[in-house]
Amino acid sequence: MIQLFKMAFRDLGRTRRRSFFSSLALAFGLALLLLLAAFIHGEMSSAIDSTIRLQSGHLQVRAKSYDESKNSLKWEDLVDNPDQVAAQIASLAPVKVATPRLFASGIVSVRNESAGVRIFGIDPASAANAPYRAGMVSGDFLTADDRQGILVGQALADKLGLKAGDQVNLSVNTSNGDVAEQLFTIRGIYTTQTNGFDSATVFMPIAKAQTITQTENHASTIFILLKDAAQTDSVAAALKTSQYQVLTWTQMDELILQTEDLANSYMVIFYLIVLGITATVIINTLIMAVFERTREIGILSAIGMKRHRILAMFLAESSLLAVGGIIMGLILGGLVVAYFTRYGFYIGNMGVTGILINNTIYTDLTLNDTVTLTITAFVVSLLAGFYPAVMAARMEPVDALHG
């Protein structure tokens, strides 16, 4: 076996340039696949993390009849006495934070411009607001007793030409179906680096949100973050009651998970296409080698080399090309992925409706993806060399000698 690899290495060395570029083609293909795998995983992981931190939490407790798509404000659709319910949930050991939130639909108007927004009534002191506090661009964060202040996202502020201290008119739906209007002062501008969220979300203290929507002592949901996401199902089971529904992040963020599964399915097809293209380069290289070495193959057959040995010799050449290409591909792909892991892809306000995608996507290459793609590239390259190897093994010595 060692002798076969020595012969294969010697034969590839005869055409160093062709062999190098064959391996390089595989290297570029593998590097591209590593980058794509890291991009998809980074994008989906970031979307899930952003949605949990900013919008869904690990768990939410809602009234049985609450419909999130309608932002219902009817009292029967809301959580009664939410502060007490949140305090009881927060006392559980696995719970990091539990806080009431009230959601309402509204319209922000300033001068001759307006924009539809979703209003978040929040407890300003809650640790669940850490992403919003950390993203303050200008102005100050809200206080619990503020009755005239709101926070707006930077994307919305840029769209309407707003800055901290400006006043805007806010129209809000109420529990009885009317629309309440009030002049609010922008206390601050925040960014979560997620354009889809920042362009449509306005924050105000929950006490003020309850007052303006006429939902005193009620909340849309209890937003819950856990110390360990792995305990989501067990905590959800412990919180189940006949009065409320308990939703996990996998239920609330089902669209993201479905999108990830769909993306992975399409990527498998794309992986095979890219590897198929690189495989044709290896096939071409080995077929040319077979034709160039026809007489040599005939001589080897004439002096007694068995067909399976000739087959193995060409497969050894294919495997050496694959190993060389994979090593270069891992180095090249690793460097490119490392760059985008640090600096990311800036995509701005590009995104998918219903999914919170960060403005900058950082690649995240997993060991599983690396091993899977490496093995797949090697197997495809080995299979690519099978046809030329069989063609060489089937040559008749007499015909080969006269070839």
Side-chain angles (χ1 to χ4, degrees):
M1 182 61 72
I2 295 177
Q3 187 176 4
L4 280 177
F5 276 100
K6 286 182 178 179
M7 292 175 64
F9 186 77
R10 180 204 64 192
D11 292 333
L12 290 175
R14 293 178 181 178
T15 54
R16 292 186 181 89
R17 180 176 297 179
R18 188 169 66 201
S19 299
F20 172 75
F21 282 109
S22 296
S23 291
L24 188 62
L26 178 60
F28 279 126
L30 180 58
L32 175 61
L33 296 185
L34 291 173
L35 178 62
L36 289 173
F39 179 84
I40 293 296
H41 189 267
E43 179 184 24
M44 291 296 103
S45 297
S46 175
I48 291 173
D49 179 66
S50 295
T51 304
I52 289 175
R53 291 186 304 107
L54 304 178
Q55 189 166 283
S56 70
H58 292 113
L59 292 165
Q60 285 192 23
V61 175
R62 303 172 180 171
K64 290 278 189 182
S65 58
Y66 182 75
D67 185 352
E68 184 180 20
S69 63
K70 298 179 181 178
N71 280 339
S72 176
L73 292 169
K74 295 180 180 179
W75 282 32
E76 60 267 24
D77 296 334
L78 303 178
V79 177
D80 187 22
N81 198 8
D83 291 331
Q84 181 180 343
V85 176
Q88 291 174 345
I89 295 173
S91 65
L92 298 176
V95 176
K96 180 180 180 180
V97 61
T99 183
R101 286 184 174 176
L102 181 68
F103 305 131
S105 299
I107 297 176
V108 172
S109 303
V110 58
R111 296 180 291 276
N112 294 324
E113 297 184 87
S114 62
V117 295
R118 191 184 190 198
I119 298 161
F120 276 39
I122 61 172
D123 174 10
S126 174
N129 301 321
Y132 317 132
R133 285 184 178 275
M136 291 298 296
V137 176
S138 62
D140 300 311
F141 201 73
L142 298 170
T143 57
D145 59 352
D146 193 342
R147 293 296 180 268
Q148 294 183 325
I150 58 173
L151 295 181
V152 300
Q154 187 172 30
L156 180 61
D158 291 343
K159 177 181 178 181
L160 299 180
L162 301 173
K163 62 182 184 297
D166 286 351
Q167 290 189 316
V168 296
N169 187 69
L170 182 61
S171 304
V172 186
N173 292 332
T174 66
S175 60
N176 60 14
D178 293 334
V179 176
E181 293 187 29
Q182 183 178 327
L183 198 64
F184 284 88
T185 299
I186 298 175
R187 301 297 185 204
I189 296 174
Y190 71 90
T191 179
T192 62
Q193 301 300 322
T194 306
N195 189 275
F197 186 87
D198 297 348
S199 63
T201 306
V202 170
F203 293 106
M204 69 171 60
I206 190 169
K208 177 58 183 178
Q210 290 170 336
T211 300
I212 197 171
T213 60
Q214 301 175 21
T215 57
E216 287 81 357
N217 202 31
H218 285 76
S220 302
T221 186
I222 306 299
F223 176 91
I224 304 168
L225 292 175
L226 303 179
K227 297 174 183 176
D228 183 2
Q231 294 183 299
T232 299
D233 291 334
S234 60
V235 176
L239 293 177
K240 282 187 177 179
T241 67
S242 58
Q243 186 178 2
Y244 300 117
Q245 59 176 321
V246 181
L247 299 176
T248 65
W249 69 269
T250 54
Q251 294 171 308
M252 292 181 283
D253 305 335
E254 188 176 6
L255 177 61
I256 299 178
L257 300 178
Q258 290 176 344
T259 301
E260 182 177 20
D261 290 340
L262 183 63
N264 289 334
S265 298
Y266 279 110
M267 288 312 297
V268 169
I269 298 174
F270 186 77
Y271 293 162
L272 294 177
I273 292 173
V274 172
L275 290 175
I277 294 172
T278 58
T280 59
V281 178
I282 294 177
I283 292 174
N284 181 64
T285 297
L286 293 179
I287 287 178
M288 290 179 68
V290 170
F291 285 119
E292 289 172 355
R293 290 154 52 194
T294 300
R295 289 181 59 82
E296 179 183 331
I297 295 170
I299 293 172
L300 291 174
S301 298
I303 63 176
M305 179 175 277
K306 302 295 183 182
R307 290 188 174 184
H308 70 271
R309 294 277 292 178
I310 297 175
L311 177 73
M313 182 176 66
F314 278 89
L315 288 178
E317 292 183 25
S318 176
S319 64
L320 288 176
L321 289 173
V323 170
I326 286 171
I327 291 173
M328 288 190 291
L330 288 174
I331 294 172
L332 180 60
L335 291 174
V336 174
V337 169
Y339 176 86
F340 286 109
T341 297
R342 180 171 182 179
Y343 298 104
F345 291 88
Y346 181 74
I347 63 171
N349 60 0
M350 295 173 60
V352 179
T353 302
I355 300 179
L356 299 183
I357 297 179
N358 288 354
N359 297 342
T360 301
I361 296 175
Y362 296 91
T363 54
D364 181 18
L365 183 61
T366 65
L367 178 61
N368 181 64
D369 284 339
T370 303
V371 172
T372 300
L373 289 173
T374 299
I375 293 175
T376 303
F378 182 80
V379 171
V380 169
S381 299
L382 203 60
L383 292 175
F386 191 74
Y387 171 70
V390 170
M391 186 171 65
R394 287 182 175 179
M395 283 187 176
E396 294 296 334
V398 175
D399 296 334
L401 287 170
H402 289 83

